[in-house]
Amino acid sequence: MKKGTVISEKFYRVQMALSSLSIYRQLLDDPVIKKFYDLISYLCTGTDPVIFLNLYNELFFTLASSNTSLASYIMDLIIFDDNPFSHCCTKGENCELLEDAARRDLKCLQFALEITPTVIKTQAKILCNLETKELAGLPEWEDWSNSQCSSGLQTKIKETLYSSGSWGECLPALKKFYPEVGAGIFACYYAFTWERAANSGFFKGIASPDPVRLKDLFGYEEERSEILENTQQFLKGYPANNVLLYGDRGTGKSSTVKAIVNEYHPRGLRIIEVPKNYLGDFPEITRELRERSQRFIIFVDDLTFEDSTENYTALKAVLEGGLESRPANVLIYATSNRRHLVKESFSDRAFSLDEDTGEIHESDSIQEKLSLADRFGITVIFTAPDQEQYLEIIEAIAKQRNIQIAREKLHREALRWATRHNGRSPRTARQFIDWLEGAVCCTPHG
């Protein structure tokens, strides 16, 4: 009985440790930690074997779904938690009060890991009157001391936590980690979309961004070089320009932006795609990004505005002239098939004396609409390739994929494909090669 009392005391102390989390308090809302806490709390006094079995297996199932050990799971939560301490670190600031609270939380979380499946089963045997053979059949999550570090940005800091006898002493490593990698969702992902739900906006991380790389893009080297130079300048901390990429469809405007981010995200570059309908959220978005350590490209794809929309005024304010300045770590890259981003009809130019709809100074209104594109510091034009350029792109992609086909036949089929489909463009070239690669591979002796 004395042994059971000692074990119960440990469960109570772990419950108190988790309840006392302050800086890392958001971890208590995590589904795994929540189920772990519920199980620990029940085993302080609970005696019903059915309730215990449900709590134990719910925890195991939730943890198994993440395909990791409990310790590794908790370390990931620590590393990627967006809290006052991690946010302060990303800004390069020091705060002894926050550091002391974080240090205490880390010790509490490490202490909680002393409650292993073996310890839980021992307590359940005492309180819930379960037989040894019944407990032996319960699955166990991996012992934290035998867990292996996962790959990725968090590997080094996880190794530090694994090898440390006191997580509280790992605070200097975390203080160094957060400014380099970031905190919260911006450390987990490098590509995001801005979404809305219940009248509020939020960043949604993209687990599998479009993998296009610069080496996959052929032609338009001069156009891309200007955007690359601007991006590199931005990453070095120098002033840089917002960029408008406009031109014919399928010429690689969007792919260029995605490829640049895929190239430079290890240096802290992030991309956030904002739908046109949410451009009015720009002030909210930039406030969220202002004091982050990373550099952000706000990406607006296929940018055009109907005459009735007011979103373009919000974009104009961010590009230039708003009371709230654009953060130094934020740029806007937009693509469009139109040079004049706001659609204009002939009726816009027709003078009307109607008191309800007419406007005396129509030219001012027209110029306001046409001025939006001028507010981008850099405008890069992507025009459809001529036949020679189109065939050069075809040859480059075919060579990259090691497709063996006679040059004359390749050209003949490529031109036929362009005629039958979407005309000459890099997109058409890639679609043709996708078809050709399958056709060659599927043809006997092809």
Side-chain angles (χ1 to χ4, degrees), residues 381-442:
I381 305 173
F382 286 71
T383 57
D386 58 23
Q387 179 170 305
E388 182 180 353
Q389 292 170 324
Y390 171 69
L391 293 176
E392 288 176 356
I393 294 172
I394 289 288
E395 290 183 13
I397 302 176
K399 181 179 180 181
Q400 183 188 54
R401 300 194 189 182
N402 197 29
I403 297 177
Q404 304 298 322
I405 184 173
R407 188 168 183 265
E408 291 183 1
K409 183 178 180 181
L410 177 66
H411 286 188
R412 183 172 63 253
E413 294 296 331
L415 293 174
R416 182 180 300 172
W417 181 276
T419 301
R420 292 179 175 178
H421 294 85
N422 300 315
R424 295 190 299 266
S425 74
R427 180 189 297 161
T428 302
R430 194 165 300 278
Q431 291 169 344
F432 165 70
I433 293 296
D434 288 342
W435 168 81
L436 181 65
E437 186 173 11
V440 170
C441 291
C442 293

Side-chain angles (χ1 to χ4, degrees), residues 123-158:
Q123 179 75 339
K125 181 178 181 181
I126 296 169
L127 291 182
C128 302
N129 197 28
L130 286 166
E131 298 293 334
T132 302
K133 63 179 181 180
E134 294 174 312
L135 293 167
L138 293 177
E140 296 188 3
W141 51 88
E142 187 179 2
D143 180 21
W144 78 279
S145 60
N146 296 322
S147 298
Q148 299 295 316
C149 293
S150 61
S151 60
L153 296 174
Q154 74 272 33
T155 299
K156 187 175 181 180
I157 191 66
K158 287 184 75 170

Side-chain angles (χ1 to χ4, degrees), residues 313-329:
T313 58
L315 177 58
K316 284 176 67 175
V318 175
L319 290 171
E320 180 185 336
L323 286 176
E324 186 173 9
S325 64
R326 174 174 54 84
N329 65 332

Side-chain angles (χ1 to χ4, degrees), residues 229-298:
E229 182 180 351
N230 187 68
T231 306
Q232 291 167 352
Q233 186 172 314
F234 178 53
L235 288 172
K236 292 176 182 177
Y238 296 110
N241 283 290
N242 300 308
V243 179
L244 173 64
L245 301 80
Y246 90 90
D248 298 299
R249 56 192 173 90
T251 48
K253 301 181 295 295
S254 301
S255 295
T256 294
V257 177
K258 296 172 186 176
I260 287 175
V261 176
N262 287 336
E263 190 76 24
Y264 293 115
H265 76 82
R267 291 174 54 182
L269 186 61
R270 303 289 185 265
I271 185 170
I272 300 167
E273 184 169 10
V274 179
K276 290 180 291 186
N277 293 339
Y278 299 156
L279 294 182
D281 293 343
F282 266 0
E284 181 182 354
I285 295 171
T286 55
R287 287 187 203 111
E288 288 282 338
L289 305 179
R290 183 175 295 276
E291 296 183 339
R292 300 283 177 176
S293 59
Q294 295 90 359
R295 299 262 156 178
F296 296 91
I297 289 176
I298 295 180

